[in-house]
Every structure is written in C-alpha cells, then in structure tokens.
Amino acid sequence: MYEPDLVPAPRSVVPGAGRFVLGAATALDAGPGAEGAAHRLRALIGAATGLPLPPSAGDAGGRGEGGGALRLYVDGRVADELGPEGYRLRVTDTGVDLRGGAAPGLFWGVQTLRQLLGPDAHRRAPLPGRTWSLPHVTVEDAPRFPWRGFLLDVARHFTPKDGVLRWIDLLAAHKLNVLHLHLTDDQGWRLEIRRFPRLTEVGAWRRRTRLGHRASPLWDECPHGGFYTQDDVREIVAYAAERHVTVVPEIDVPGHSQAAIAAYPELGNTDVPGGADAAPEVWTDWGINPNVLAPTEIVLRFYEGVFDEVLELFPGEFVHIGGDECVKDQWRASPTAQARIAELGLDGEDALQAWFVRHFDRRLAERGRRLVGWDEILEGGSGRADLRLSPGAVVSSWRGHAGGIAAARAGHDVVMCPEQQVYLDHRQDAGEDEPVPIGYVRTLRDVHRFEPVPPELAGTEAEQHVIGAQANLWTEVVEDQQRADYQAFPRLAAFAEAVWSPPGARDWEGFERRMVRAHYARLDALGVAYRPPSGPRPWQRRPGILGRPLDGPPPAL
C-alpha cells in the first residue's frame, strides 16, 4: 500500500488503493472564503503541470461528479475540531475534497496536495511527458504550535528583496508561518526610515568584512551593504500574507547598535572617551560591540520615530526589539547614564536596560502591538512594578531553555529558539570539509528530535505559554544565498516537522526515509543548494577560512 512521503508528517494519513488522474478537463472549484487558496493552487500546480484547472461551469462540486475536480471549502466543523490552520484532504476517483478551518488551513492543505503530486510539482514550468495523478488518501492535519518561525539575519550579510521572497516560498512549502527579519545590527541597518535618512545612507554600508570567525586574519575588502525601501517592505509583507506567513521585524536596542550610531553619533554615549565621540564606523568585524545607545531623551524620541514607521510598514501583531548582549561598560563610565540611574532610582545598569526596554514595551502595547525580545529582557526588574514587562510581551528564549521556563511561569508567551539546538549557522558535522565550522555539531537528526516544550513545563499550566519555536540563521559567516541554503537545509525541514507534527507522528527513521524517497528531490526542484547527506560538495566548502568549532555535546541550559 502506498504511504505518502509528506514533510512535515501530518496528524493522520489513511492511504487508499487507487489514483486520481488530473487532466486538461480537471476543474478547480472554490467555495466562499477559499478564493485565495484556489489562486495559490492554480499558480503553483498550474505552473508545474501546465494544466489550466478551469473553474467549474456549474455550482461548486457539480463538475466533480463526472469530469473530476479539485474542490476547496472553508468548513466550520474543521475549524471547531482542528482550528483555523487545520485541514482535511480526501482524494477519491472523483477528485479532491479539501476542507480547511479557515484560509490558512486551506493553504497548508494545498501544500500537502502539491507534495502528493510528486517532486516535479515544485517546479516553475512543466517537464515533458509527465502524467499527473494523486494517490487515494485521506489526510487530517493541524499544526502543533501557532508560531513556527525562521529568523533570517539580513544585517550581517544582506539578502536582496528577491531572496527574501524566495525564503517566504520555502517557508510556506514547509508549513512554517513566521519570518523574523533581523534588520539592524552593528554591521548594518537594512530598513529605510524616511525621517532619518542617514540610517541607510551611512548605516547600510560597511567598507570591508572579515572572512570567517573574528579570529580569522582574512578580510574581504569589497564594501558590503544594501537595504529595503519602504515599498520593498510593503511588497515583502504582502507577498508573505498571501502565503499566510507573518513577517516580524527586529530593530535591535539598546545594544547591537553601532550602525545606527555611525549614522547619528548623538545616539551613542558621547561623554565616554572612545565612545560615540570617536565617530565609529559601521562595524566591519564580528562579536559583541561595546558601542550601545545612550539612555537619553534624544535616543528615546529617535527610536519612537523609528518604531512609528516600522508599525506603518509591518501590520502584524509582533515587533521584536532585540534587547540582547548589551555591554554596560559605557553606561558605567558615562556621567549621563549614571545621572539617569540616580534620577530614576534604579539599582544599577541592568535596571537601566530594563527601564529602556519597558519604555518601548509600553509604547507598543498602547498601539495594540506586542513586544518580542531575547530572554535578556527578563533581567534587571528588581521587583519594581514599573520595570516589569507588560502581560503581552513575548520572550525569545535563545540562551537555552531557562529564560523560556522563567517567562512561561511568569505568564509570558515564549518562543523557544535555544542556541545549541536550533541555530542553523552552527555546523552540521565534525568533518574537516564542513565550511567555516561554528559551534557544536547539530546534525539533521539532532534538529529533528528538538522538543520545544521543556520537561519542566510539560503538563503544567505554563506549558500553554510556549506558543512555538524558531530556527535562527545568523549570517556572520554566511555570505550569500548558496551558503544560506547549505546551512538551513535540510535541517529546516526537520525543524518544520518538530514544530508542526504531534510528537507521536515524529520518528527519525520515517523522516529519513521520506527525505530520501521524496523531499531531497523536492528541494532539488525548488533549486535549494542543501547539504547532501554524504557531506558538502566541493563548491560548498570554504577551505582556509577559520571558524570556531566546539567539541563535545552542547551544554544543557
């Protein structure tokens, strides 16, 4: 009996015995609310197969009784049982019946239908001599988590707009629904802010780039940069929305801000020798930079203006403000920062950062948005009510599980993205040919067995606050699309299964079989330069470029 090679694994699959053959007469019927999914189905499958998939001449479903049809409906019963992202898919002799709880569920069902047609259904034009058919099957499916995310760091190495659109397509093909864009850092500012043009005139460009880890002696002397215009962002957000992907922008404060300070030195700690008074350039190196934003009214007003434009461009619920790795040395040496600590009655520099974060937390909440920040945003409150995060604030737990556990127990929603589990810039193998090896080895199997809910939260009321997980691809040593593909795939397919499929539907041997039998071929059809199971191809290696490999198992945090 045929067993569909679906990735990620659905909740339930009941294979049948026959096949439904698609042809030029096969119709596409869309009920009320299914128009968007029908448009995407016709665009994707129509392009790959060359079939016209005309609408039915009669009422929805009528043509399917004789000529066969693909029938799409929004179904309240599916919504009640499986939620808005759930779907039921049934293939019989008369065609396809796809019912989604809402538009997102229909769209994910379309992705399943595409996979059932075979790897060549992921191409952009039909290949000659193909006959297209679907196995008789019944699939019932819904995601385990509502946040199934991927972070793309476009600040360290810029990804042009077309590359971002490609990433959205790849996420959608794997039923991932959040694209977190890391838009600003010490090495570059990537978003046009019209009231502050120097952020991109100056901050979007660096004069050279270190090749490899920060201990490497090698440099690329070619200037690097780029940014998204506001119309680029509107296009990206609209493109993602059509595919039920939410784009979450990250504007990093108060650390990781040298590119902004290079553009507007008054944002830095100008009263500290060697600080902003030295007019730092956009950083050309990697690591944690000591230049951080000053805790002044000038800086608050500046970033209020930045976030006002960000909110106009990104209509989603969530806005990420970073908040990690803020070095406090300049604040300790700054009379202005120390005066602010005294004025506010704060308990040191950590509390000063908490005050800075809470300012934007409250401002976003007042505008109906939810702040997201790395797990450092939990620190520095010292029990003061005015320094506590708002109830809607979300914590990205990256330094292991501890921050997420603490946040969930405190009533905050959590996105689990522990560095030693799901950082895709970390190396995939211990072999000498692995390009620019960073961190501990995290194999495809390691990512597949990643469990977003820590044992400490499983079965408790706090478990409901784990709203999902995210795989992060930082790009210090990932210079272009080919390298990004290599680092992300096939591990991103394993991660997709970890956040979509129920634990009982996940097994490593089955996943590996599905990858070999079908999914690597799908990635080939999509043009993804993934890491082969046998190791890097010659052109995927980076001989002579120093990395920072760490030996042994990663620490449990």
Side-chain angles (χ1 to χ4, degrees), residues 419-448:
E419 176 183 12
Q420 309 305 348
Q421 306 298 321
V422 290
Y423 270 33
L424 299 182
D425 48 307
H426 287 201
R427 60 187 175 141
Q428 304 180 65
D429 188 81
E432 294 183 359
D433 288 334
E434 209 64 29
V436 200
I438 300 296
Y440 296 96
V441 172
R442 292 286 86 188
T443 65
L444 181 65
R445 185 170 188 173
D446 290 331
V447 175
H448 185 263

PDB file of all heavy atoms in Angstrom, residues 419-448:
ATOM      1  N   GLU A 419      20.028  28.282  21.416  1.00  0.00           N
ATOM      2  CA  GLU A 419      21.185  28.344  20.520  1.00  0.00           C
ATOM      3  C   GLU A 419      21.746  26.964  20.204  1.00  0.00           C
ATOM      4  O   GLU A 419      22.062  26.667  19.048  1.00  0.00           O
ATOM      5  CB  GLU A 419      22.274  29.220  21.163  1.00  0.00           C
ATOM      6  CG  GLU A 419      23.564  29.277  20.371  1.00  0.00           C
ATOM      7  CD  GLU A 419      24.643  30.082  21.073  1.00  0.00           C
ATOM      8  OE1 GLU A 419      24.474  30.406  22.269  1.00  0.00           O
ATOM      9  OE2 GLU A 419      25.663  30.383  20.424  1.00  0.00           O
ATOM     10  N   GLN A 420      21.897  26.131  21.203  1.00  0.00           N
ATOM     11  CA  GLN A 420      22.578  24.851  20.986  1.00  0.00           C
ATOM     12  C   GLN A 420      21.676  23.805  20.335  1.00  0.00           C
ATOM     13  O   GLN A 420      22.120  22.674  20.106  1.00  0.00           O
ATOM     14  CB  GLN A 420      23.119  24.314  22.321  1.00  0.00           C
ATOM     15  CG  GLN A 420      23.938  25.305  23.117  1.00  0.00           C
ATOM     16  CD  GLN A 420      25.110  25.896  22.344  1.00  0.00           C
ATOM     17  OE1 GLN A 420      25.459  25.417  21.273  1.00  0.00           O
ATOM     18  NE2 GLN A 420      25.716  26.939  22.880  1.00  0.00           N
ATOM     19  N   GLN A 421      20.455  24.165  20.026  1.00  0.00           N
ATOM     20  CA  GLN A 421      19.531  23.223  19.401  1.00  0.00           C
ATOM     21  C   GLN A 421      19.126  23.640  17.989  1.00  0.00           C
ATOM     22  O   GLN A 421      19.091  22.802  17.083  1.00  0.00           O
ATOM     23  CB  GLN A 421      18.267  23.080  20.263  1.00  0.00           C
ATOM     24  CG  GLN A 421      18.532  22.714  21.708  1.00  0.00           C
ATOM     25  CD  GLN A 421      19.215  21.370  21.874  1.00  0.00           C
ATOM     26  OE1 GLN A 421      18.897  20.431  21.160  1.00  0.00           O
ATOM     27  NE2 GLN A 421      20.150  21.272  22.796  1.00  0.00           N
ATOM     28  N   VAL A 422      18.831  24.916  17.791  1.00  0.00           N
ATOM     29  CA  VAL A 422      18.212  25.320  16.521  1.00  0.00           C
ATOM     30  C   VAL A 422      18.857  26.570  15.909  1.00  0.00           C
ATOM     31  O   VAL A 422      18.207  27.310  15.177  1.00  0.00           O
ATOM     32  CB  VAL A 422      16.689  25.526  16.690  1.00  0.00           C
ATOM     33  CG1 VAL A 422      15.992  24.194  16.906  1.00  0.00           C
ATOM     34  CG2 VAL A 422      16.369  26.488  17.819  1.00  0.00           C
ATOM     35  N   TYR A 423      20.135  26.810  16.191  1.00  0.00           N
ATOM     36  CA  TYR A 423      20.869  27.851  15.468  1.00  0.00           C
ATOM     37  C   TYR A 423      21.475  27.200  14.226  1.00  0.00           C
ATOM     38  O   TYR A 423      22.414  26.407  14.326  1.00  0.00           O
ATOM     39  CB  TYR A 423      21.950  28.465  16.352  1.00  0.00           C
ATOM     40  CG  TYR A 423      21.488  29.659  17.165  1.00  0.00           C
ATOM     41  CD1 TYR A 423      20.179  29.746  17.632  1.00  0.00           C
ATOM     42  CD2 TYR A 423      22.356  30.700  17.469  1.00  0.00           C
ATOM     43  CE1 TYR A 423      19.748  30.838  18.366  1.00  0.00           C
ATOM     44  CE2 TYR A 423      21.937  31.801  18.206  1.00  0.00           C
ATOM     45  CZ  TYR A 423      20.636  31.866  18.653  1.00  0.00           C
ATOM     46  OH  TYR A 423      20.213  32.951  19.377  1.00  0.00           O
ATOM     47  N   LEU A 424      20.958  27.547  13.074  1.00  0.00           N
ATOM     48  CA  LEU A 424      21.346  26.852  11.856  1.00  0.00           C
ATOM     49  C   LEU A 424      22.675  27.314  11.286  1.00  0.00           C
ATOM     50  O   LEU A 424      23.180  26.709  10.331  1.00  0.00           O
ATOM     51  CB  LEU A 424      20.243  27.001  10.799  1.00  0.00           C
ATOM     52  CG  LEU A 424      18.884  26.425  11.197  1.00  0.00           C
ATOM     53  CD1 LEU A 424      17.889  26.578  10.062  1.00  0.00           C
ATOM     54  CD2 LEU A 424      18.989  24.970  11.633  1.00  0.00           C
ATOM     55  N   ASP A 425      23.272  28.361  11.852  1.00  0.00           N
ATOM     56  CA  ASP A 425      24.635  28.724  11.441  1.00  0.00           C
ATOM     57  C   ASP A 425      25.666  27.795  12.087  1.00  0.00           C
ATOM     58  O   ASP A 425      26.824  27.769  11.658  1.00  0.00           O
ATOM     59  CB  ASP A 425      24.951  30.177  11.795  1.00  0.00           C
ATOM     60  CG  ASP A 425      24.584  30.531  13.225  1.00  0.00           C
ATOM     61  OD1 ASP A 425      23.428  30.283  13.612  1.00  0.00           O
ATOM     62  OD2 ASP A 425      25.447  31.058  13.954  1.00  0.00           O
ATOM     63  N   HIS A 426      25.263  27.014  13.086  1.00  0.00           N
ATOM     64  CA  HIS A 426      26.179  26.058  13.698  1.00  0.00           C
ATOM     65  C   HIS A 426      26.416  24.885  12.755  1.00  0.00           C
ATOM     66  O   HIS A 426      25.564  24.526  11.947  1.00  0.00           O
ATOM     67  CB  HIS A 426      25.619  25.569  15.036  1.00  0.00           C
ATOM     68  CG  HIS A 426      25.696  26.618  16.106  1.00  0.00           C
ATOM     69  ND1 HIS A 426      25.668  26.308  17.448  1.00  0.00           N
ATOM     70  CD2 HIS A 426      25.809  27.972  16.049  1.00  0.00           C
ATOM     71  CE1 HIS A 426      25.764  27.414  18.166  1.00  0.00           C
ATOM     72  NE2 HIS A 426      25.837  28.438  17.332  1.00  0.00           N
ATOM     73  N   ARG A 427      27.570  24.265  12.899  1.00  0.00           N
ATOM     74  CA  ARG A 427      28.000  23.245  11.940  1.00  0.00           C
ATOM     75  C   ARG A 427      27.123  21.989  12.014  1.00  0.00           C
ATOM     76  O   ARG A 427      26.554  21.664  13.052  1.00  0.00           O
ATOM     77  CB  ARG A 427      29.473  22.891  12.162  1.00  0.00           C
ATOM     78  CG  ARG A 427      29.798  22.347  13.550  1.00  0.00           C
ATOM     79  CD  ARG A 427      31.283  22.182  13.722  1.00  0.00           C
ATOM     80  NE  ARG A 427      31.618  21.776  15.083  1.00  0.00           N
ATOM     81  CZ  ARG A 427      32.564  20.908  15.386  1.00  0.00           C
ATOM     82  NH1 ARG A 427      33.291  20.350  14.423  1.00  0.00           N
ATOM     83  NH2 ARG A 427      32.835  20.609  16.634  1.00  0.00           N
ATOM     84  N   GLN A 428      27.069  21.292  10.886  1.00  0.00           N
ATOM     85  CA  GLN A 428      26.201  20.121  10.766  1.00  0.00           C
ATOM     86  C   GLN A 428      26.946  18.808  10.943  1.00  0.00           C
ATOM     87  O   GLN A 428      26.318  17.747  11.031  1.00  0.00           O
ATOM     88  CB  GLN A 428      25.525  20.132   9.391  1.00  0.00           C
ATOM     89  CG  GLN A 428      24.748  21.427   9.146  1.00  0.00           C
ATOM     90  CD  GLN A 428      24.077  21.452   7.802  1.00  0.00           C
ATOM     91  OE1 GLN A 428      23.188  20.650   7.547  1.00  0.00           O
ATOM     92  NE2 GLN A 428      24.484  22.356   6.938  1.00  0.00           N
ATOM     93  N   ASP A 429      28.284  18.870  10.967  1.00  0.00           N
ATOM     94  CA  ASP A 429      29.080  17.648  11.050  1.00  0.00           C
ATOM     95  C   ASP A 429      30.463  18.032  11.561  1.00  0.00           C
ATOM     96  O   ASP A 429      30.872  19.197  11.482  1.00  0.00           O
ATOM     97  CB  ASP A 429      29.171  16.992   9.669  1.00  0.00           C
ATOM     98  CG  ASP A 429      29.823  15.614   9.720  1.00  0.00           C
ATOM     99  OD1 ASP A 429      29.108  14.645  10.066  1.00  0.00           O
ATOM    100  OD2 ASP A 429      31.019  15.500   9.427  1.00  0.00           O
ATOM    101  N   ALA A 430      31.175  17.048  12.070  1.00  0.00           N
ATOM    102  CA  ALA A 430      32.524  17.298  12.585  1.00  0.00           C
ATOM    103  C   ALA A 430      33.598  17.166  11.517  1.00  0.00           C
ATOM    104  O   ALA A 430      34.777  17.347  11.800  1.00  0.00           O
ATOM    105  CB  ALA A 430      32.825  16.336  13.733  1.00  0.00           C
ATOM    106  N   GLY A 431      33.218  16.859  10.284  1.00  0.00           N
ATOM    107  CA  GLY A 431      34.191  16.640   9.231  1.00  0.00           C
ATOM    108  C   GLY A 431      34.997  17.881   8.893  1.00  0.00           C
ATOM    109  O   GLY A 431      34.528  19.012   9.044  1.00  0.00           O
ATOM    110  N   GLU A 432      36.208  17.671   8.403  1.00  0.00           N
ATOM    111  CA  GLU A 432      37.107  18.782   8.081  1.00  0.00           C
ATOM    112  C   GLU A 432      36.626  19.595   6.885  1.00  0.00           C
ATOM    113  O   GLU A 432      37.062  20.736   6.703  1.00  0.00           O
ATOM    114  CB  GLU A 432      38.519  18.251   7.822  1.00  0.00           C
ATOM    115  CG  GLU A 432      39.184  17.651   9.052  1.00  0.00           C
ATOM    116  CD  GLU A 432      40.606  17.196   8.784  1.00  0.00           C
ATOM    117  OE1 GLU A 432      41.055  17.346   7.624  1.00  0.00           O
ATOM    118  OE2 GLU A 432      41.254  16.701   9.715  1.00  0.00           O
ATOM    119  N   ASP A 433      35.757  19.032   6.072  1.00  0.00           N
ATOM    120  CA  ASP A 433      35.272  19.746   4.900  1.00  0.00           C
ATOM    121  C   ASP A 433      34.086  20.650   5.188  1.00  0.00           C
ATOM    122  O   ASP A 433      33.620  21.361   4.298  1.00  0.00           O
ATOM    123  CB  ASP A 433      34.876  18.752   3.800  1.00  0.00           C
ATOM    124  CG  ASP A 433      36.082  18.080   3.155  1.00  0.00           C
ATOM    125  OD1 ASP A 433      37.167  18.702   3.172  1.00  0.00           O
ATOM    126  OD2 ASP A 433      35.943  16.949   2.666  1.00  0.00           O
ATOM    127  N   GLU A 434      33.599  20.646   6.422  1.00  0.00           N
ATOM    128  CA  GLU A 434      32.447  21.481   6.752  1.00  0.00           C
ATOM    129  C   GLU A 434      32.843  22.955   6.642  1.00  0.00           C
ATOM    130  O   GLU A 434      33.842  23.385   7.225  1.00  0.00           O
ATOM    131  CB  GLU A 434      31.971  21.163   8.169  1.00  0.00           C
ATOM    132  CG  GLU A 434      30.496  21.377   8.392  1.00  0.00           C
ATOM    133  CD  GLU A 434      29.636  20.467   7.567  1.00  0.00           C
ATOM    134  OE1 GLU A 434      30.066  19.336   7.233  1.00  0.00           O
ATOM    135  OE2 GLU A 434      28.522  20.875   7.227  1.00  0.00           O
ATOM    136  N   PRO A 435      32.102  23.770   5.881  1.00  0.00           N
ATOM    137  CA  PRO A 435      32.532  25.149   5.632  1.00  0.00           C
ATOM    138  C   PRO A 435      32.392  26.047   6.858  1.00  0.00           C
ATOM    139  O   PRO A 435      31.348  26.086   7.499  1.00  0.00           O
ATOM    140  CB  PRO A 435      31.602  25.606   4.511  1.00  0.00           C
ATOM    141  CG  PRO A 435      30.393  24.744   4.649  1.00  0.00           C
ATOM    142  CD  PRO A 435      30.878  23.424   5.155  1.00  0.00           C
ATOM    143  N   VAL A 436      33.482  26.750   7.195  1.00  0.00           N
ATOM    144  CA  VAL A 436      33.533  27.723   8.295  1.00  0.00           C
ATOM    145  C   VAL A 436      32.775  27.182   9.509  1.00  0.00           C
ATOM    146  O   VAL A 436      31.731  27.706   9.891  1.00  0.00           O
ATOM    147  CB  VAL A 436      32.976  29.097   7.859  1.00  0.00           C
ATOM    148  CG1 VAL A 436      33.479  30.179   8.817  1.00  0.00           C
ATOM    149  CG2 VAL A 436      33.364  29.445   6.439  1.00  0.00           C
ATOM    150  N   PRO A 437      33.290  26.149  10.146  1.00  0.00           N
ATOM    151  CA  PRO A 437      32.534  25.479  11.211  1.00  0.00           C
ATOM    152  C   PRO A 437      32.378  26.346  12.455  1.00  0.00           C
ATOM    153  O   PRO A 437      33.351  26.844  13.012  1.00  0.00           O
ATOM    154  CB  PRO A 437      33.380  24.238  11.503  1.00  0.00           C
ATOM    155  CG  PRO A 437      34.767  24.622  11.100  1.00  0.00           C
ATOM    156  CD  PRO A 437      34.608  25.530   9.921  1.00  0.00           C
ATOM    157  N   ILE A 438      31.144  26.529  12.880  1.00  0.00           N
ATOM    158  CA  ILE A 438      30.810  27.332  14.052  1.00  0.00           C
ATOM    159  C   ILE A 438      30.075  26.456  15.061  1.00  0.00           C
ATOM    160  O   ILE A 438      29.164  25.701  14.702  1.00  0.00           O
ATOM    161  CB  ILE A 438      29.915  28.531  13.668  1.00  0.00           C
ATOM    162  CG1 ILE A 438      30.628  29.447  12.662  1.00  0.00           C
ATOM    163  CG2 ILE A 438      29.486  29.314  14.907  1.00  0.00           C
ATOM    164  CD1 ILE A 438      31.869  30.122  13.194  1.00  0.00           C
ATOM    165  N   GLY A 439      30.462  26.529  16.331  1.00  0.00           N
ATOM    166  CA  GLY A 439      29.709  25.924  17.413  1.00  0.00           C
ATOM    167  C   GLY A 439      29.802  24.408  17.479  1.00  0.00           C
ATOM    168  O   GLY A 439      30.667  23.768  16.883  1.00  0.00           O
ATOM    169  N   TYR A 440      28.868  23.850  18.236  1.00  0.00           N
ATOM    170  CA  TYR A 440      28.778  22.407  18.398  1.00  0.00           C
ATOM    171  C   TYR A 440      28.119  21.780  17.167  1.00  0.00           C
ATOM    172  O   TYR A 440      27.401  22.445  16.422  1.00  0.00           O
ATOM    173  CB  TYR A 440      27.959  22.059  19.641  1.00  0.00           C
ATOM    174  CG  TYR A 440      28.581  22.532  20.930  1.00  0.00           C
ATOM    175  CD1 TYR A 440      28.198  23.734  21.510  1.00  0.00           C
ATOM    176  CD2 TYR A 440      29.557  21.779  21.573  1.00  0.00           C
ATOM    177  CE1 TYR A 440      28.759  24.181  22.699  1.00  0.00           C
ATOM    178  CE2 TYR A 440      30.138  22.208  22.765  1.00  0.00           C
ATOM    179  CZ  TYR A 440      29.731  23.416  23.318  1.00  0.00           C
ATOM    180  OH  TYR A 440      30.300  23.848  24.490  1.00  0.00           O
ATOM    181  N   VAL A 441      28.361  20.505  16.977  1.00  0.00           N
ATOM    182  CA  VAL A 441      27.733  19.797  15.867  1.00  0.00           C
ATOM    183  C   VAL A 441      26.239  19.638  16.158  1.00  0.00           C
ATOM    184  O   VAL A 441      25.852  19.151  17.214  1.00  0.00           O
ATOM    185  CB  VAL A 441      28.377  18.413  15.661  1.00  0.00           C
ATOM    186  CG1 VAL A 441      27.582  17.606  14.638  1.00  0.00           C
ATOM    187  CG2 VAL A 441      29.825  18.568  15.206  1.00  0.00           C
ATOM    188  N   ARG A 442      25.433  20.062  15.203  1.00  0.00           N
ATOM    189  CA  ARG A 442      23.981  19.880  15.275  1.00  0.00           C
ATOM    190  C   ARG A 442      23.544  19.218  13.984  1.00  0.00           C
ATOM    191  O   ARG A 442      23.371  19.863  12.950  1.00  0.00           O
ATOM    192  CB  ARG A 442      23.256  21.220  15.449  1.00  0.00           C
ATOM    193  CG  ARG A 442      23.484  21.891  16.784  1.00  0.00           C
ATOM    194  CD  ARG A 442      22.721  21.206  17.917  1.00  0.00           C
ATOM    195  NE  ARG A 442      23.473  20.086  18.493  1.00  0.00           N
ATOM    196  CZ  ARG A 442      22.995  19.243  19.377  1.00  0.00           C
ATOM    197  NH1 ARG A 442      21.758  19.342  19.808  1.00  0.00           N
ATOM    198  NH2 ARG A 442      23.740  18.264  19.838  1.00  0.00           N
ATOM    199  N   THR A 443      23.369  17.919  14.012  1.00  0.00           N
ATOM    200  CA  THR A 443      23.060  17.150  12.826  1.00  0.00           C
ATOM    201  C   THR A 443      21.574  17.280  12.471  1.00  0.00           C
ATOM    202  O   THR A 443      20.763  17.819  13.242  1.00  0.00           O
ATOM    203  CB  THR A 443      23.377  15.670  13.043  1.00  0.00           C
ATOM    204  OG1 THR A 443      22.498  15.163  14.069  1.00  0.00           O
ATOM    205  CG2 THR A 443      24.830  15.468  13.460  1.00  0.00           C
ATOM    206  N   LEU A 444      21.229  16.741  11.306  1.00  0.00           N
ATOM    207  CA  LEU A 444      19.827  16.695  10.899  1.00  0.00           C
ATOM    208  C   LEU A 444      18.999  15.966  11.953  1.00  0.00           C
ATOM    209  O   LEU A 444      17.888  16.400  12.298  1.00  0.00           O
ATOM    210  CB  LEU A 444      19.727  15.999   9.539  1.00  0.00           C
ATOM    211  CG  LEU A 444      18.346  15.872   8.917  1.00  0.00           C
ATOM    212  CD1 LEU A 444      17.777  17.242   8.586  1.00  0.00           C
ATOM    213  CD2 LEU A 444      18.411  14.998   7.664  1.00  0.00           C
ATOM    214  N   ARG A 445      19.532  14.874  12.472  1.00  0.00           N
ATOM    215  CA  ARG A 445      18.802  14.112  13.492  1.00  0.00           C
ATOM    216  C   ARG A 445      18.649  14.912  14.774  1.00  0.00           C
ATOM    217  O   ARG A 445      17.596  14.868  15.431  1.00  0.00           O
ATOM    218  CB  ARG A 445      19.509  12.794  13.765  1.00  0.00           C
ATOM    219  CG  ARG A 445      18.753  11.886  14.725  1.00  0.00           C
ATOM    220  CD  ARG A 445      19.344  10.495  14.784  1.00  0.00           C
ATOM    221  NE  ARG A 445      18.496   9.588  15.550  1.00  0.00           N
ATOM    222  CZ  ARG A 445      18.691   8.290  15.649  1.00  0.00           C
ATOM    223  NH1 ARG A 445      19.714   7.725  15.020  1.00  0.00           N
ATOM    224  NH2 ARG A 445      17.874   7.525  16.348  1.00  0.00           N
ATOM    225  N   ASP A 446      19.672  15.666  15.155  1.00  0.00           N
ATOM    226  CA  ASP A 446      19.585  16.500  16.360  1.00  0.00           C
ATOM    227  C   ASP A 446      18.435  17.494  16.249  1.00  0.00           C
ATOM    228  O   ASP A 446      17.678  17.713  17.206  1.00  0.00           O
ATOM    229  CB  ASP A 446      20.891  17.267  16.575  1.00  0.00           C
ATOM    230  CG  ASP A 446      22.045  16.371  16.990  1.00  0.00           C
ATOM    231  OD1 ASP A 446      21.799  15.341  17.632  1.00  0.00           O
ATOM    232  OD2 ASP A 446      23.200  16.709  16.642  1.00  0.00           O
ATOM    233  N   VAL A 447      18.322  18.145  15.090  1.00  0.00           N
ATOM    234  CA  VAL A 447      17.260  19.132  14.911  1.00  0.00           C
ATOM    235  C   VAL A 447      15.897  18.452  14.882  1.00  0.00           C
ATOM    236  O   VAL A 447      14.926  18.958  15.451  1.00  0.00           O
ATOM    237  CB  VAL A 447      17.500  19.955  13.630  1.00  0.00           C
ATOM    238  CG1 VAL A 447      16.330  20.901  13.361  1.00  0.00           C
ATOM    239  CG2 VAL A 447      18.797  20.748  13.735  1.00  0.00           C
ATOM    240  N   HIS A 448      15.817  17.288  14.265  1.00  0.00           N
ATOM    241  CA  HIS A 448      14.536  16.586  14.189  1.00  0.00           C
ATOM    242  C   HIS A 448      14.024  16.200  15.569  1.00  0.00           C
ATOM    243  O   HIS A 448      12.800  16.196  15.813  1.00  0.00           O
ATOM    244  CB  HIS A 448      14.672  15.336  13.308  1.00  0.00           C
ATOM    245  CG  HIS A 448      13.380  14.627  13.071  1.00  0.00           C
ATOM    246  ND1 HIS A 448      12.980  13.542  13.820  1.00  0.00           N
ATOM    247  CD2 HIS A 448      12.384  14.856  12.179  1.00  0.00           C
ATOM    248  CE1 HIS A 448      11.796  13.133  13.392  1.00  0.00           C
ATOM    249  NE2 HIS A 448      11.416  13.904  12.400  1.00  0.00           N
TER     250      HIS A 448
END
